[in-house]
Amino acid sequence: MSSAVRRINEPVPAQVWLGDDGRPTQVTWRGRPERVECVLDTWYVDDAWWAERPVRRIYHEVQLDSGVRLVLSWDLVAKRWLAQR
Amino acid sequence: METAPVIACCWLPGFALRIVAHGAGVDLAGPVALASEAAAHPVVLDCTEAARAHGVAPGMLVSHAMGCCSALEVLGCDVPRVEQAAERFVVRLEAMGAAVQLVEPGRVYFDAAPLELLYGGLVGVFERVLGAFRGGDVRLGAGPNPFVSWVGARHAAPGGWLRVEPGEARRMLARMPIDLLPAGPDLVQLLRALGLATLGDIAALEAHHVADRFGAEGLVLRNLARGDDPTPLEPRVPIEPVSDALAFPEPVANEQTLESGVELLAQRLVQHPRCVLHAPRSVVLTCVLATGGSWQARRALRTPTLDVQKHVLAIRPSLADLPGPVERMEFAFEQFALREARQRTLLDAGGSLLTGDGGDEGATGGGLGDERVRRGMRHVLETVGEEALLQVLEVEPWSRVPERHAVLVPRRVGAEDASTDAEVDSAAVARGDVGRGVWR
């Protein structure tokens, strides 16, 4: 049963600017450009390669100037930036 | 009326070398060099006059420097100690009311004009600043912009000040060597090869000639040589540090003891007034080693938290990297964020209402609003439909893929309510099947 089970916090496409060191410096979040105050963590995931939707992403957990914390990821399969809380 | 800024540059030459040598008890009268941290090919960052007399120079490989001077004493750069000293340098000026921009350890800029009334004129400000660093060989330069004040500080006598009036800047700079310009060694060498030895030579060049040959960088250097530096000051906002320290009666190497020390300090820090509304995003442990050096570990927390155990957990792996016994440890909170307005669990697995206490963990509040919540939930189900009432179910909270942390599942109401019977197949989440009807 239960088609009502829903995913939450799905990543959405985002526009991300990078610094010389390859880390995010600015991101468009909810239609507004916001400066990245600091990168808290960076990690790489290569998972579910057997599945229809493999996950191959480089993640950056960032804190924006506004105090919002986001997880930005570069999707190595789709070649695009994603953002999620 | 707004007064014109008087940019002051407060400079202590050889700052890092002095700090490290002082910590190691080394006399700077002899040939001493400060080496970079690079393990493979360390280079000389700074050296004493006695070392320079033997041909040692900054930028040189340490191995070459040793070849130039067999008596050379090489000190490793103790970065945490230098950073702490640089912070004290800035704090001392901020205590006088100055808004300070730290350029590098031992070199800061501030606008002296707003302090004039406080200390009875600019001379009063300068004397007050130098008085704060008495015996420290600090020099003070003042001018209409950062570059002129920096050149002034370089030419001031030890413990003295030199003020350059706006109208005098170009004339004063004209005789100065081009090494003072913030340009790379290759460019300085090229300028010399072209016969440009002083700032006056560069200032005399036509702008379009400079632009043709050196582009935008050349124009910036020409402006500096003419005493024009439009760079605005960017003073930092003074922040009261949230830190506490613990000195051991005897050096400690035992990890458990050190961990207990961190826990004790963290427990003290969470009582700080700053932690009423804010929580740290990162923690820093700085240790003074029995061998004389210092060591530092800075760790980011996954979420801003006041949970002492999480602070200890973040630092614990680093303790294994300590190079020696510890005499004193300092623990600090950094990068504060508002304590997250995190959504907490409303009902426990048995359907009882949980009331949050505002802390990191919720507490069971008893049955006082249980019935009202249940009634509200039933009302939503009856009026909107079965799929209107959902709850967040943690699936893989440990996952490094954020969308796998939790899913939304239907919430039923009543005594039989045991929402955790909604066992979601975490492999299905990984496959991306959730939302397409796969669960068991």
Side-chain angles (χ1 to χ4, degrees):
Chain A
M1 63 166 267
S2 199
S3 56
V5 179
R6 297 180 199 169
R7 282 172 163 265
I8 50 177
N9 196 23
E10 288 268 38
V12 295
Q15 196 173 2
V16 175
W17 285 263
L18 302 177
D20 292 339
D21 58 357
R23 304 173 103 196
T25 55
Q26 192 177 316
V27 58
T28 299
W29 176 243
R30 292 182 173 163
R32 277 194 331 182
E34 292 217 44
R35 206 178 71 83
V36 172
E37 187 192 330
C38 63
V39 178
L40 298 169
D41 200 2
T42 299
W43 67 95
Y44 170 65
V45 170
D46 186 355
D47 195 15
W49 47 266
W50 62 90
E52 202 177 303
R53 295 196 298 181
V55 177
R56 281 187 66 220
R57 295 181 202 152
I58 299 167
Y59 286 91
H60 300 277
E61 187 174 1
V62 301
Q63 172 100 15
L64 304 182
D65 264 357
S66 57
V68 171
R69 293 159 68 92
L70 282 185
V71 176
L72 305 175
S73 53
W74 171 247
D75 191 324
L76 293 159
V77 179
K79 308 285 183 207
R80 61 177 181 166
W81 281 97
L82 302 168
Q84 60 201 131
R85 295 300 291 265
Chain B
M1 193 183 76
E2 201 172 305
T3 55
V6 179
I7 309 301
C9 174
C10 191
W11 178 50
L12 179 58
F15 185 85
L17 178 59
R18 285 168 194 258
I19 298 299
V20 175
H22 182 262
V26 172
D27 185 5
L28 288 176
V32 184
L34 184 69
S36 65
E37 280 186 311
H41 302 291
V43 295
V44 173
L45 297 174
D46 199 359
C47 59
T48 58
E49 284 303 320
R52 284 175 204 264
H54 285 86
V56 179
M60 183 182 267
L61 281 171
V62 169
S63 51
H64 291 175
M66 297 289 285
C68 294
C69 175
S70 56
L72 184 70
E73 187 157 1
V74 179
L75 302 172
C77 190
D78 188 343
V79 176
R81 185 185 285 272
V82 172
E83 281 181 357
Q84 282 181 341
E87 176 66 17
R88 287 196 295 274
F89 193 82
V90 174
V91 167
R92 205 173 282 194
L93 288 167
E94 284 175 342
M96 294 174 48
V100 182
Q101 178 187 351
L102 176 65
V103 183
E104 60 181 350
R107 176 156 68 109
V108 300
Y109 293 127
F110 63 94
D111 185 357
L115 303 176
E116 258 187 283
L117 283 177
L118 204 58
Y119 299 108
L122 281 175
V123 174
V125 176
F126 300 154
E127 284 175 355
R128 180 71 182 232
V129 169
L130 293 169
F133 298 104
R134 190 165 294 139
D137 200 15
V138 168
R139 296 130 201 249
L140 193 70
N145 57 54
F147 181 67
V148 174
S149 68
W150 163 229
V151 175
R154 287 183 65 115
H155 288 82
W161 57 271
L162 178 66
R163 184 182 177 194
V164 183
E165 296 289 347
E168 291 293 307
R170 188 167 173 185
R171 200 165 62 84
M172 189 271 285
L173 293 174
R175 290 167 290 143
M176 303 292 174
I178 56 169
D179 307 71
L180 294 173
L181 290 171
D186 291 345
L187 182 54
V188 171
Q189 206 175 349
L190 179 59
L191 292 170
R192 277 217 191 88
L194 292 169
L196 303 166
T198 65
L199 297 184
D201 294 339
I202 294 176
L205 295 174
E206 292 291 338
H208 61 273
H209 289 156
V210 176
D212 284 349
R213 183 65 181 82
F214 300 106
E217 189 189 2
L219 286 175
V220 170
L221 297 180
R222 176 178 175 271
N223 284 341
L224 292 179
R226 296 163 69 92
D228 299 330
D229 180 6
T231 317
L233 279 197
E234 290 179 4
R236 71 176 196 174
V237 178
I239 300 168
E240 187 196 351
V242 179
S243 66
D244 205 341
L246 192 64
F248 297 106
E250 285 181 11
V252 172
N254 182 299
E255 273 184 42
Q256 277 188 329
T257 313
L258 294 169
E259 203 177 303
S260 303
V262 171
E263 190 173 347
L264 178 73
L265 292 173
Q267 278 166 353
R268 284 189 204 163
L269 292 186
V270 295
Q271 306 299 324
H272 192 279
R274 191 110 191 268
C275 297
V276 173
L277 292 175
H278 297 82
R281 295 200 313 255
S282 67
V283 291
V284 188
L285 179 66
T286 309
C287 295
V288 176
L289 305 173
T291 49
S294 54
W295 171 94
Q296 194 173 63
R298 181 177 272 105
R299 293 288 171 267
L301 303 165
R302 283 198 62 76
T303 52
T305 180
L306 294 175
D307 186 335
V308 169
Q309 291 311 317
K310 286 181 182 165
H311 300 152
V312 176
L313 208 61
I315 283 292
R316 186 187 289 158
S318 312
L319 294 176
D321 301 333
L322 263 165
V326 174
E327 274 185 350
R328 183 177 182 276
M329 63 158 62
E330 183 179 300
F331 195 56
F333 287 171
E334 280 189 350
Q335 297 179 318
F336 282 82
L338 276 174
R339 287 173 67 173
E340 269 191 321
R342 223 176 64 194
Q343 290 192 0
R344 309 205 181 274
T345 307
L346 179 67
L347 303 170
D348 68 11
S352 298
L353 182 67
L354 293 174
T355 55
D357 62 353
D360 282 342
E361 305 300 333
T364 306
L368 190 62
D370 273 20
E371 195 42 47
R372 290 181 67 186
V373 171
R374 279 165 203 273
R375 261 209 312 271
M377 289 161 71
R378 277 196 209 97
H379 182 72
V380 169
L381 282 176
E382 284 162 12
T383 53
V384 187
E386 278 194 355
E387 292 193 357
L389 198 60
L390 301 170
Q391 77 168 94
V392 176
L393 182 71
E394 282 199 320
V395 184
E396 294 180 27
W398 57 85
S399 175
R400 295 294 256 169
V401 182
E403 62 266 34
R404 290 185 193 161
H405 290 179
V407 291
L408 280 175
V409 296
R411 172 88 199 188
R412 278 168 285 165
V413 189
E416 77 288 358
D417 174 33
S419 58
T420 47
D421 65 358
E423 285 178 38
V424 175
D425 181 354
S426 59
V429 177
R431 287 196 304 269
D433 288 340
V434 168
R436 289 186 282 164
V438 179
W439 82 326
R440 59 185 164 81

